[in-house]
């Protein structure tokens, strides 16, 4: 189809009718563009997460429903054998395999069904799915590689008693006064 054709008018109840008469599932109004630079310019939040023990970048976007993962982060054993068409906002369609993945991110954690895309603009993209947290309220406790702030360290600090050498007088103060 030409980019100028309106693919969305061919979608009914989440299914795209093909010329053969068959229908395939399709996700519409997805923010993933063919040009990654245009998508990055949208300023969507990207934080660190984890999939399969690997640190990844995770983007939160509310422009669609589902989860997208870069195909190279998915093992063949995680693929379900199902596919879905992804209708992008630039009116292009992309066929994506489905996989069941386990992830840990500030926006979503646990086992989820995800669409695998070779050229995704981010390692994982979390759209609107059950259990997804808002981009304004990420769960920072699951941040991978996150640094501990001084305030966090202070709250978590355990007070240790001061060890003083066993001498009676040192620099004008005796041991009892120092303790």
């Amino acid at each position: 189809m030409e980019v100028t054709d309106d693919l969305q008018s061919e979608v009914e109840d989440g299914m795209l009718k093909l010329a053969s008469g068959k229908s395939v599932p399709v996700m519409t109004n997805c923010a993933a563009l063919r040009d990654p630079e245009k998508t990055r310019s949208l300023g969507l939040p990207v934080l660190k997460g984890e999939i399969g023990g690997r640190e990844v970048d995770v983007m939160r976007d509310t422009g669609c429903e589902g989860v997208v993962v870069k195909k190279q982060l998915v093992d063949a054993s995680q693929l379900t054998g199902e596919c879905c068409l992804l209708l992008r906002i630039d009116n292009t369609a992309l066929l994506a395999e489905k996989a069941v993945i386990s992830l840990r991110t500030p926006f979503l954690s646990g086992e989820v069904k995800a669409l695998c895309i070779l050229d995704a603009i981010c390692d994982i993209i979390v759209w609107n799915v059950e259990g997804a947290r808002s981009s304004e309220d990420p769960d920072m406790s699951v941040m991978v590689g996150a640094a501990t702030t001084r305030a966090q360290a202070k709250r978590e600090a355990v007070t240790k008693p001061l060890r003083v050498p066993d001498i009676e007088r040192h620099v004008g103060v005796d041991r009892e006064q120092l303790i």
Side-chain angles (χ1 to χ4, degrees):
M1 295 184 98
E2 291 292 320
V3 174
T4 55
D5 292 341
D6 184 13
L7 289 176
Q8 291 199 27
S9 66
E10 303 299 323
V11 176
E12 188 174 312
D13 296 325
M15 303 294 281
L16 177 66
K17 190 162 270 203
L18 303 177
S20 67
K22 293 182 180 180
S23 294
V24 293
V26 65
M27 296 177 74
T28 59
N29 297 320
C30 298
L33 300 170
R34 277 191 293 186
D35 182 356
E37 291 306 313
K38 282 185 182 177
T39 306
R40 282 191 191 99
S41 71
L42 296 174
L44 298 170
V46 177
L47 297 173
K48 295 292 182 191
E50 182 182 289
I51 178 173
R54 292 173 277 195
E55 183 177 314
V56 293
D57 289 325
V58 184
M59 177 189 292
R60 179 69 169 101
D61 181 9
T62 58
C64 198
E65 292 183 5
V67 175
V68 165
V69 62
K70 278 189 176 176
K71 185 157 184 177
Q72 52 269 43
L73 296 171
V74 177
D75 294 327
S77 63
Q78 296 172 297
L79 297 173
T80 66
E82 300 173 36
C83 291
C84 180
L85 276 177
L86 198 65
L87 185 58
R88 298 175 178 182
I89 61 172
D90 63 355
N91 214 26
T92 58
L94 173 71
L95 187 63
E97 290 183 88
K98 290 184 181 180
V100 176
I101 60 171
S102 183
L103 50 83
R104 193 171 69 111
T105 81
F107 305 118
L108 181 67
S109 291
E111 196 168 272
V112 297
K113 266 193 174 176
L115 298 177
C116 305
I117 297 177
L118 284 175
D119 61 349
I121 59 162
C122 200
D123 296 326
I124 298 172
I125 303 168
V126 177
W127 288 320
N128 298 329
V129 291
E130 188 173 328
R133 296 178 71 105
S134 159
S135 60
E136 289 90 31
D137 183 33
D139 180 1
M140 299 306 277
S141 69
V142 301
M143 281 284 289
V144 174
T148 303
T149 65
R150 283 182 284 217
Q152 288 171 321
K154 192 174 184 179
R155 283 193 302 270
E156 297 168 2
V158 176
T159 307
K160 296 179 185 176
L162 177 64
R163 293 189 163 249
V164 180
D166 229 1
I167 53 174
E168 285 301 311
R169 295 200 66 72
H170 184 69
V171 191
V173 178
D174 68 27
R175 184 176 190 278
E176 292 303 313
Q177 289 173 324
L178 186 58
I179 292 173

